[in-house]
C-alpha cells in the first residue's frame, strides 16, 4: 500500500508539472503569435490570439491545433473610393494545420463577426452625413440638403434599414422620407441618406453572410474555409 501511495503521489506531481509546462507553452505561443500572425489579404492593427484545447504540446507535435480564436482590431478595407475601418474581426478557427517551421498556418473552417462602428460608417458616407444607432434594428441617418427653390438648407434625419447585398456590399436605405409638400424634397434627401458601400480587403477566404444593426455598430456574420495565416 505504501508503494502504491508513493506511485500515486508521483503521478499527481508529474501530472501537475505536465499541465504547468503545457500551459506555459500555450502562453508563450500566444504571445509570439500576437506579434506575428496576420490574415492573408487584410491590413490590420493589433492581433489577439487564444489557443484552445488540451493538451497543447501534443497538438503541436501533430502539427494541428483544434481551435484558435483570433481577434484582429482596426482592419482597413477600401469601399467605393472611401475607406471603411472595421473596428474588430473576431474569428474562431478550427482544425488549424501548422506549416513548416511554424511560420504559417491554415484553418480548415472559420466563423466570425466583423464590427463596423457608426463613426466608421459615417466616415464612409457622403460628406455632411452622420450615421448613428436608431434603435429597434435601424440606423438614424442625418444629412443636410440644399433646396434651390427655397434658397434654404434643410437638415433631416431618417430611420434606415441596413442590408447586405451580393455578399459584399452594405446598403443603407431610408424607410420613409417626410416630403412636407416640397416638390423633389424626398429625392434630394435620399441622395444624401441612401448609399451603398462595397467592402473589400477582408481576410482571404472569409465570406459575409448576414448583417445586424446593434447598439455598438453593424455586426456582420462571416464564415469561411481554408483561411491562411502568415507570420
Amino acid at each position: 500500500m505504501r508503494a502504491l501511495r508513493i506511485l500515486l503521489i508521483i503521478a499527481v506531481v508529474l501530472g501537475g508539472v505536465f499541465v504547468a509546462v503545457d500551459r506555459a507553452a500555450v502562453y508563450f505561443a500566444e504571445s509570439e503569435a500576437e506579434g506575428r500572425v496576420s490574415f492573408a489579404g487584410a491590413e490590420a492593427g493589433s492581433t489577439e490570439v487564444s489557443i484552445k484545447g488540451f493538451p497543447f504540446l501534443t497538438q503541436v507535435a501533430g502539427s494541428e491545433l483544434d481551435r484558435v480564436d483570433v481577434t484582429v482590431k482596426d482592419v482597413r478595407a477600401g469601399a467605393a473610393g472611401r475607406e471603411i475601418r472595421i473596428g474588430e474581426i473576431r474569428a474562431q478557427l478550427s482544425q488549424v494545420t501548422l506549416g513548416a517551421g511554424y511560420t504559417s498556418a491554415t484553418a480548415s473552417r472559420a466563423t466570425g463577426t466583423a464590427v463596423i462602428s457608426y463613426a466608421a460608417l459615417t466616415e464612409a458616407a457622403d460628406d455632411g452625413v452622420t450615421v448613428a444607432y436608431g434603435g429597434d434594428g435601424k440606423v438614424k441617418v442625418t444629412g443636410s440638403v440644399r433646396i434651390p427653390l427655397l434658397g434654404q438648407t434643410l437638415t433631416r434625419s431618417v430611420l434606415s434599414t441596413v442590408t447586405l447585398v451580393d455578399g459584399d456590399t452594405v446598403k443603407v436605405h431610408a424607410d420613409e422620407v417626410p416630403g412636407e409638400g416640397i416638390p423633389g424634397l424626398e429625392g434630394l434627401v435620399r441622395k444624401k441618406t441612401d448609399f451603398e458601400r462595397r467592402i473589400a480587403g477582408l481576410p482571404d477566404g472569409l465570406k459575409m453572410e448576414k448583417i445586424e444593426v446593434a447598439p455598438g455598430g453593424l455586426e456582420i456574420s462571416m464564415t469561411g474555409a481554408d483561411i491562411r495565416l502568415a507570420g
Side-chain angles (χ1 to χ4, degrees), residues 30 33-34 46-50 68-73 88 91:
E30 290 174 344
E34 287 176 354
S46 63
T47 301
E48 297 176 4
V49 177
S50 178
V68 179
D69 292 353
V70 179
T71 300
V72 182
K73 297 184 178 181
E88 184 176 85

Side-chain angles (χ1 to χ4, degrees), residues 27 34 67 110 155 169 171 225 227:
Y27 178 79
E34 287 176 354
R67 174 178 159 184
T155 300
T169 300
K171 179 179 180 180
I227 310 301

